[in-house]
Amino acid sequence: MSNNIVCFGEILWDVLPTGKQPGGAPFNVAVHLHQLGVPAALISRVGDDELGTELLDFITSKGLGTDYVQEGKTHLTGVVKANVDDANEVTYKIVHPVAWDYVQHETRLDALVEQADMFVFGSLAARSPTTRETLYRLLPHARFRVFDVNMRPPHYTKEVVKYLLGKADLVKMNHHELGEIMGWFGAETDPGAAMQWLAERFQLQAVCVTCGADGALLWTGNQLYRAPGVRVEVKDTIGSGDSFLAALLKGWLQGQEPGECLRFACATGALVATHLGATPAFTEADVRELTLSPAPLLKRGEPDASAQPAASV
């Protein structure tokens, strides 16, 4: 199998005060998977313009293929203006519409997704009808569906996010997104209880919630795991969540224990935050240097990181 994971959605330029950087969550995840030794393919679209050509060249420079990155003549390559005044909470102004809003369905994409171990997609790429329809047509072909929630106002609706939750096997979101989603249902607000509720409501194998500097939580196998944050000197957090997800999926594919998956993912996200831009070069050995003690299994309501005996939560 040539591609273990297929990533679907936006590829774009993040425009920073220091200049432009390639970005887009699905692209970032694919790059980080490749750097961690997991073969990945990207389904996206760029414009037939200079920015598009530069993105295609950058994809190639990162060791990824461009076979499934479409080129369109009617819309420009995507651009996002990133505000990094707060290094720990980057905000974005996302231009619309752009090329990745028009990813066209092709029969060969069905075969690509069918052959992959995982299919990764987000809510941002589903903001426009064309790309959303293509995503919906590909979902039934996936063996294991990973929903990377990416709720950027005003580029999402409750209906689409709920639909994608219902199609997923594993869901990753941040703690702000968890709170907002649970508000839609008037359900549990305690993170552990909320994650269990989502897993049961949507028949999910796993729910992962990132908590910034405070680490992350993972609900799977009717148990809750927590990994504390890794203390680093933050340059910017662009791409940290994407590298976190790539590392989590690597461990999942390898059948690692959930706490180990979560701990390695937190260390990967922290490492990327020590660099500028979304896709700095690093190796698995670099990540291992930041890895902390084993992620403990938590009983509901226990916020500390001390180990607990294995039990249902």
Side-chain angles (χ1 to χ4, degrees), residues 5-184:
I5 298 181
V6 172
C7 300
F8 175 94
E10 65 274 12
I11 181 172
L12 48 85
W13 288 101
D14 285 321
V15 180
L16 310 171
T18 53
K20 68 181 192 294
Q21 295 277 353
F27 167 67
N28 296 341
V29 173
V31 169
H32 293 307
L33 284 167
H34 179 75
Q35 293 192 139
L36 291 169
V38 180
L42 175 67
I43 300 173
S44 189
R45 190 177 182 91
V46 298
D48 182 18
D49 51 30
E50 184 176 346
L51 290 178
T53 299
E54 289 182 38
L55 275 180
L56 293 174
D57 289 343
F58 188 82
I59 293 171
T60 302
S61 75
K62 286 293 186 177
L64 298 174
T66 60
D67 292 350
Y68 303 99
V69 180
Q70 302 168 0
E71 294 183 69
K73 296 183 180 298
T74 56
H75 293 86
L76 298 175
T77 297
V79 173
V80 170
K81 297 177 181 178
N83 185 335
V84 294
D85 290 343
D86 180 352
N88 293 299
E89 197 68 43
V90 180
T91 57
Y92 302 90
K93 181 179 179 181
I94 306 172
V95 177
H96 175 271
V98 291
W100 57 261
D101 289 307
Y102 296 90
V103 177
Q104 307 293 314
H105 180 265
E106 304 173 60
T107 303
R108 66 186 185 128
L109 300 182
D110 297 342
L112 178 72
V113 172
E114 286 173 355
Q115 293 166 6
D117 290 329
M118 290 179 169
F119 180 55
V120 180
F121 57 93
S123 49
L124 182 56
R127 69 179 182 176
S128 296
T130 302
T131 299
R132 182 168 64 245
E133 175 63 22
T134 298
L135 172 59
Y136 286 6
R137 292 179 66 176
L138 292 176
L139 285 170
H141 295 280
R143 300 181 191 177
F144 188 89
R145 295 169 289 272
V146 179
F147 179 21
D148 182 13
V149 179
N150 192 9
M151 288 159 44
R152 306 289 186 189
H155 303 286
Y156 66 93
T157 65
K158 294 179 185 179
E159 291 71 26
V160 169
V161 173
K162 289 178 183 178
Y163 178 83
L164 294 176
L165 284 169
K167 296 297 181 181
D169 296 299
L170 182 154
V171 175
K172 174 252 180 187
M173 66 187 76
N174 64 39
H175 60 293
H176 299 301
E177 292 163 338
L178 176 65
E180 181 174 345
I181 289 172
M182 297 311 292
W184 298 345

